[in-house]
Amino acid sequence: MARPSHRHIPKPPQIFDRDWEWSELTAFVSDEEPGPRLGVVSGRRRQGKSFLLEALTEATGGFYFTAVEATAAESLRLIGEAIGRFTDAPAPPRPRDWSEAMELLFDLAAQRPVTIVIDEFPYLVRGDTSLPSRLQATLGVRGGRHLRRHPRLLLCGSAMSFMGGLLSGTSPLYGRAGLDLVVHSLGYREAASFWNIDDPRLAVLTHAVVGGTPAYRREFVGDDVPVGLDDFDDWVCRTVLNPARPLQGEAEFLLAAEPDVRDRALYHSLLAAVAAGNHTSGGIANAVGRKATDISQPLTVLKRCGLLTVDPDAFRGNRSAYRIAEPLITFHHAVVRPNQSLLTQRRNPAAAWATSRDTFLSKVVGPHFEHLCREWVSWHAEPDTFGGLPIEVISGAVADPAARTSHEVDVVVRGAVGQDHGILLSIGEAKWNKVMDVRHLDRLRHILGLLTSQGIDTSHARPACYSGIGFTSDLHAAAERGEVVLVDLKRLYGGA
């Protein structure tokens, strides 16, 4: 069977990175097969979804409509006016319901495939919950009269819990989409390039505050970039701790914008507990003064919204670790929220930062550096680094019965060696602000011994040390003998 034909649509120069996303979008809209096509584009707010889709419609001569929070009647009037402008109609059409509106949209593609984007789609469904069913009816069966029109319809939204269910098995649109694209934050290396930061230490510190969200550089801080490590503290004070800048209130908005979040006080407390270092459901429940069963549903909502992620423990099947997905939310709950009175009443960000800087380095940057190390293994490390292809990169805890304790392992790598999968390739320790020495290697060797005694195959496992400062000469010598893998900031940002 011949492959569908697609025409090449060059990515506009104003779009930074996003090569893969642009390729998927352009392949979808340039599909020349007859009939309608449905695609869904989602992702947390501020990631550049609308920017991408606006550029796509401009490049293809398509139709773009951004919904607003409004009644169904007003939304129908607004989309009718937008269709009228697109077609240069002497008078805009007045669709009576969403079935008529969808017919009008599909008619735009009666002669050729046309890109049609509906942004902020959840707003429309909130005004009329029958909209997905009406759209499904308009899409119809894949044949007959339904092949006479050729819309390339893209539905976009930032309400992750809603968008995640739009194509689920209980949705009228289940099985109808040919594209389900999630626009993620920029990777940490791409984020450093986007912010024009060459110093990897400064890049980690900045990423621990704003992550890889593109909008935070231009729209939220007006291209105010820290010019060096000496400027970082002042940059924090004049941007994210500055009550006059929108970045300070952004974390509150991200939670408020999720329709499934009801008791916001509880949800903020849950996020604050995770930011403080509580990563298990029991620890989080204890921190907020609730039973674990009472917070199960709110934690599920935060996961559905894309604000929390949960990873299994590498060595304990019944244990999971929760992590905040957006660095700015971690920063907010570790630094901004505890100092709200200083920031709003006295308008004294320098004083707030002076009391919180150590907390930032220990509770925010330290764990964030560990996460970046795991990302490095997943996305940038060559298979030769660990003697196999990394597949799963998480953290875990190893029991030490003799010492009546357990050992946290920051980077656990499992992967493929030849035809064998699930092989333990490496265990690693990450230290952001400490020069690592042979004692860290000895600790990793001890943990490998414990794992061996527990019946785990460690024959392929390589110890690894990740440091934000560097390593002693003895540890470098051990690396030269092939006894340990060393990853410093230079390798984290530029090496494999």
Side-chain angles (χ1 to χ4, degrees), residues 243-458:
R245 291 292 183 96
L247 196 60
Q248 191 194 111
E250 173 68 1
E252 298 270 359
F253 171 79
L254 290 175
L255 191 64
E258 289 295 338
D260 287 352
V261 172
R262 308 283 187 225
D263 183 356
R264 269 192 276 167
L266 173 60
Y267 283 84
H268 277 298
S269 293
L270 293 174
L271 292 169
V274 179
N278 301 284
H279 299 295
T280 64
S281 58
I284 297 168
N286 185 60
V288 301
R290 299 286 182 93
K291 296 178 181 178
T293 51
D294 294 338
I295 66 168
S296 175
Q297 177 61 18
L299 288 177
T300 299
V301 171
L302 287 172
K303 286 188 291 181
R304 251 193 344 250
C305 294
L307 299 179
L308 275 185
T309 62
V310 58
D311 295 318
D313 187 289
F315 304 110
R316 298 180 182 180
N318 61 347
R319 189 172 182 259
S320 298
Y322 288 88
R323 182 178 61 81
I324 296 174
E326 174 56 62
L328 187 65
I329 293 179
T330 303
F331 184 89
H332 174 83
H333 285 285
V335 177
V336 177
R337 199 160 171 258
N339 292 285
Q340 204 71 59
S341 60
L342 274 175
L343 295 171
T344 57
Q345 296 174 13
R346 301 184 197 175
R347 301 187 181 278
N348 191 354
W353 183 237
T355 64
S356 303
R357 193 176 188 278
D358 288 343
T359 299
F360 169 70
L361 293 174
S362 61
K363 296 292 187 180
V364 179
V365 182
H368 190 73
F369 177 65
E370 295 169 11
H371 174 65
L372 295 187
C373 293
R374 291 190 288 270
E375 282 204 359
W376 176 82
V377 176
S378 297
W379 295 100
H380 303 294
E382 293 288 349
D384 289 348
T385 303
F386 299 108
L389 178 66
I391 296 175
E392 181 184 55
V393 187
I394 50 180
S395 59
V398 178
D400 189 342
R404 297 183 179 180
T405 187
S406 63
H407 302 279
E408 297 293 329
V409 183
D410 301 325
V411 185
V412 180
V413 186
R414 286 196 176 92
V417 178
Q419 299 300 311
D420 297 324
H421 290 71
I423 303 298
L424 182 63
L425 299 178
S426 176
I427 63 169
E429 185 169 1
K431 295 294 182 185
W432 165 247
N433 218 26
K434 184 177 290 186
V435 176
M436 300 185 75
D437 56 34
V438 291
R439 289 173 296 179
H440 297 95
L441 175 56
D442 290 340
R443 176 179 179 272
L444 293 171
R445 286 169 172 163
H446 174 65
I447 294 171
L448 285 173
L450 292 171
L451 292 172
T452 302
S453 68
Q454 295 170 15
I456 296 176
D457 180 8
T458 62

Side-chain angles (χ1 to χ4, degrees), residues 219-237:
E219 290 89 339
F220 280 68
V221 301
D223 280 326
D224 184 350
V225 177
V227 295
L229 284 170
D230 292 342
D231 183 46
F232 178 75
D233 290 350
D234 289 340
W235 175 81
V236 168
C237 292

Side-chain angles (χ1 to χ4, degrees), residues 203-221:
V204 173
L205 290 170
T206 306
H207 196 270
V209 178
V210 293
T213 299
Y216 293 160
R217 174 182 172 179
R218 299 216 165 102
E219 290 89 339
F220 280 68
V221 301

Side-chain angles (χ1 to χ4, degrees), residues 53-109:
L53 293 173
E54 286 173 356
L56 182 71
T57 53
E58 184 175 340
T60 58
F63 173 85
Y64 186 92
F65 176 75
T66 302
V68 296
E69 291 187 278
T71 64
E74 184 183 7
S75 294
L76 287 166
R77 177 177 61 80
L78 291 173
I79 202 166
E81 291 172 354
I83 292 171
R85 288 191 298 270
F86 184 77
T87 58
D88 292 324
R94 300 291 185 186
R96 292 172 298 178
D97 55 34
W98 283 110
S99 293
E100 284 191 13
M102 287 299 151
E103 291 292 341
L104 289 168
L105 286 173
F106 278 42
D107 283 344
L108 299 179

